[in-house]
Amino acid sequence: MSTAAPCSRTASPLILLFACAAGLSVANVYYAQPLLDALAADLGIGTARIGAVIAATQLGSVAALLWLVPLGDRLRRHRLLAAQNGALVVALLGVALAGSATTLLLGMLAVGLLGTAMTQGLIAYAAAAASPHERGRVVGAAQAGVVIGLLLARVVAGAVADIGGWRAVYGLSAGVMVIAGVLLWLRLPRLAVPAASPRLSLPALLRTQPVLRRRGMLGLLMFTAFGLFWSTLALPLSAPPHALGHTAIGAFALVGLVGALAAARSGHWSDQGHARRVSGAALLLLLVSWAPLAALPVHLGWLVLGVLLLDLAVQALHVTNQSLILAAAPQAQAQAIAAYMLFYAAGSGLGALAGSALYAAHGWSAVCGAGAVVSALALVLWARTTRAGEIH
């Protein structure tokens, strides 16, 4: 396949390939979450230490954002993805065959590194392959694939592990990624390396990209609120009077699928010049969502409504943020998306830490109160920069 410029309209099968590949890639980072008890029992890892498995994957994810994802602006994307996919397959097989805690942690570090690099690399690739007038639509579809992959990873891992054990999860995923890698190699357009794309430090990128700076701060606040909720949800649901099991608790995440699919449309609206309206509506919806979430002790139906509103708001703003950031940095899209995802990681981590501490000290109402405050701050930030004409 020869080098080609972006098509006037990206074909639906190609968009579907981007979405599916991104979803499969990110799922590898999250398969371990419902398998921790099985990993601990099989490899003799103490309960107090098993959390290191998740920490290793997240450390790999941050390393990917700092060092691997930005390579997409300097190397041919299809070759870079092929190399990362091959290395990811090896890492997955290494996890499946791990015989000790050390080899497992090293494997998880590699899976987090390569799974994240491929996921964000595919989003940047999708943006580069799309024409400017449809970039939001294409990025929205790819991001919907990421969210669906993230949410379904826990369900798939649990089901496969029940049938064939935790090692089967990673062995099966390695096989699936081989197939995905072949399809990506055969079907992705060969794009030229962007001209004049020097590697920028994070401070330099933030200094020269005001859209990244502003949208990154919105993303940080948004994902702080998101992390507050999802990091603590299992605590009230597993306690009386609900006393739900892990499977039932995990099912609430599937409500987010509806929000993810609905939010994919926000990228199209951004292409039509409505990014400001979408952002304001999403932030207002995020703030409103905490009212039904706070009513969880009253009835679980309120929780379902709150999850739907929260996920719809977060994904709509997330897609819009990425569309604007990628459009503003055509020569450094991979670096820009990596920098933005660092805001995401920081917000998610801050929310998780604050959420558990607030719940332990003051209960669920304090978590929801903090979420509402953070959401209000994001809305105020957006309103101020909008009035000043500073934000897209």
Side-chain angles (χ1 to χ4, degrees):
M1 194 177 296
S2 59
T3 301
C7 303
S8 58
R9 182 172 176 83
T10 308
S12 295
L14 180 59
I15 296 176
L16 181 61
L17 177 59
F18 276 124
C20 291
L24 290 170
S25 298
V26 77
N28 292 298
V29 183
Y30 293 92
Y31 283 140
Q33 291 190 353
L35 306 177
L36 292 181
D37 56 341
L39 292 168
D42 192 18
L43 297 177
I45 305 173
T47 303
R49 297 173 53 217
I50 194 61
V53 170
I54 303 302
T57 57
Q58 294 306 311
L59 180 61
S61 296
V62 172
L65 295 173
L66 289 173
W67 296 306
L68 286 189
V69 177
L71 292 177
D73 293 328
R74 303 178 64 83
L75 304 174
R76 289 194 175 276
R77 297 181 192 269
H78 69 283
R79 293 178 181 173
L80 177 62
L81 274 178
Q84 291 172 345
N85 188 80
L88 177 58
V89 169
V90 173
L92 289 167
L93 291 174
V95 170
L97 298 173
S100 68
T102 300
T103 54
L104 176 68
L105 291 175
L106 289 174
M108 288 296 183
L109 179 68
V111 166
L113 178 76
L114 297 160
T116 300
M118 282 199 65
T119 302
Q120 300 308 321
L122 281 162
I123 291 177
Y125 205 140
S131 298
H133 71 277
E134 61 163 4
R135 183 172 289 121
R137 179 177 72 94
V138 175
V139 170
Q143 182 59 38
V146 172
V147 176
I148 292 170
L150 189 156
L151 293 175
L152 291 183
R154 301 170 178 87
V155 179
V156 171
V160 173
D162 285 342
I163 297 172
W166 71 267
R167 296 180 188 273
V169 175
Y170 291 95
L172 178 61
S173 184
V176 170
M177 292 311 299
V178 169
I179 297 172
V182 171
L183 290 175
L184 290 171
W185 180 259
L186 294 176
R187 299 300 181 187
L188 290 187
R190 272 39 172 177
L191 304 177
V193 178
S197 56
R199 176 68 184 272
L200 299 174
S201 66
L202 180 59
L205 196 61
L206 292 173
R207 186 172 60 253
T208 58
Q209 293 291 329
V211 175
L212 170 63
R213 191 167 60 245
R214 296 162 191 151
R215 287 283 162 170
M217 283 304 302
L218 284 180
L220 186 147
L221 292 170
M222 171 182 66
F223 282 110
T224 298
F226 194 67
L228 276 165
F229 172 73
W230 282 111
S231 66
T232 54
L233 177 62
L235 300 176
L237 289 181
S238 60
H242 304 297
L244 299 181
H246 292 110
T247 301
I249 293 172
F252 282 99
L254 298 180
V255 178
L257 286 177
V258 179
L261 293 173
R265 187 70 178 172
S266 63
H268 172 72
W269 291 330
S270 295
D271 293 334
Q272 304 302 312
H274 303 305
R276 183 174 299 177
R277 294 178 181 177
V278 171
S279 299
L283 288 166
L284 184 60
L285 201 61
L286 180 65
L287 178 59
V288 170
S289 70
W290 290 101
L293 291 175
L296 181 155
V298 178
H299 194 278
L300 288 179
W302 288 113
L303 176 62
V304 173
L305 175 61
V307 169
L308 180 60
L309 296 178
L310 179 77
D311 276 37
L312 175 59
V314 168
Q315 295 309 321
L317 186 59
H318 190 36
V319 169
T320 303
N321 285 347
Q322 290 181 96
S323 299
L324 294 175
I325 288 168
L326 290 166
Q331 303 301 321
Q333 289 178 330
Q335 296 176 75
I337 203 66
Y340 172 69
M341 291 306 293
L342 287 173
F343 283 97
Y344 158 88
S348 297
L350 180 60
L353 291 173
S356 57
L358 284 169
Y359 184 83
H362 304 291
W364 181 246
S365 59
V367 173
C368 294
V373 169
V374 173
S375 302
L377 287 175
L379 184 60
V380 169
L381 174 63
W382 171 82
R384 289 185 61 185
T385 52
T386 298
R387 283 199 299 269
E390 297 176 354
I391 200 164
H392 289 74

